Amino acid sequence: MASRIGYGWDSHEFKSGVPLRIGGVALDYPKGLGGHSDGDVLLHAITDALLGAIAGPDIGTLFSPSDPQWKGADSALFLREALKRVAAAGFQVENADSTLILAAPKIGPHTPEIRARVAELLQIEPGRIGIKAKTPEGVGTENAAIAHAVVLLQPKSNKPPRKKRRKSTR
Ligand code: MG
């Protein structure tokens, strides 16, 4: 079985009075991202990338925005379901890369924390997670946060379990 690539994209509008969550991390900012769930634009893009890589249904199909059970949902739940489907299809995540596009707040200082959280959710080392951020120069999307994500999947390794080392009989 060959490797697979997946791509995801998402955007959410900033709104006052909602908490800001990006990559599963709560950021201190007066506005958050609107949406039916917690509006975590990065986790949504990564979820769609995982689902895309296995030609699965997209995030909106699995977790309909019109379904009241997903109101205010923790987006980690969506990502976990996508990861479960990836595993069921016989794959594991090799690495993920992403770019956030937003005017504010500055993401740089939070990158290590976001990387660590996304790595934890994807069950891989932080060194396999790319988190990059840019401001929306000239594209007029100052009131939105946009995320692009790609993932690479490899067939699950079926290494035989390690043999126990024999205890010395001496
Ligand atoms: Mg979304």
Side-chain angles (χ1 to χ4, degrees), residues 11 24 39 42 49 53 57 73 89 113 115 134 136 140 143-144 150 156 160 163-164 166-167 169-170:
S11 74
L42 179 57
E113 196 184 350
R115 174 180 289 121
K134 309 179 77 72
N143 201 40
V150 288
K156 260 194 274 186
K163 275 184 194 159
K164 275 188 189 159
R166 291 241 175 110
K167 272 187 191 153
T169 49
R170 277 185 64 202

Side-chain angles (χ1 to χ4, degrees), residues 46-94:
I46 294 171
T47 298
D48 252 351
L50 291 168
L51 294 169
I54 54 165
D58 65 16
I59 188 171
T61 305
L62 286 181
F63 306 101
S64 170
S66 60
D67 187 334
Q69 72 169 308
W70 310 124
K71 185 149 178 57
D74 178 353
S75 296
L77 191 149
F78 307 154
L79 190 145
R80 283 195 200 100
E81 173 61 27
L83 201 59
K84 218 162 78 181
R85 286 169 181 254
V86 162
F91 291 94
Q92 61 190 24
V93 179
E94 178 71 23

Side-chain angles (χ1 to χ4, degrees), residues 91-135:
F91 291 94
Q92 61 190 24
V93 179
E94 178 71 23
N95 77 309
D97 189 19
S98 65
T99 300
L100 286 158
I101 303 154
L102 70 174
K106 280 220 175 318
I107 295 300
H110 307 288
T111 298
E113 196 184 350
I114 294 172
R115 174 180 289 121
R117 178 61 181 147
V118 171
E120 186 186 5
L121 289 170
L122 288 177
Q123 296 164 27
I124 57 178
E125 303 91 341
R128 294 171 185 251
I129 308 287
I131 305 287
K132 310 184 299 298
K134 309 179 77 72
T135 51

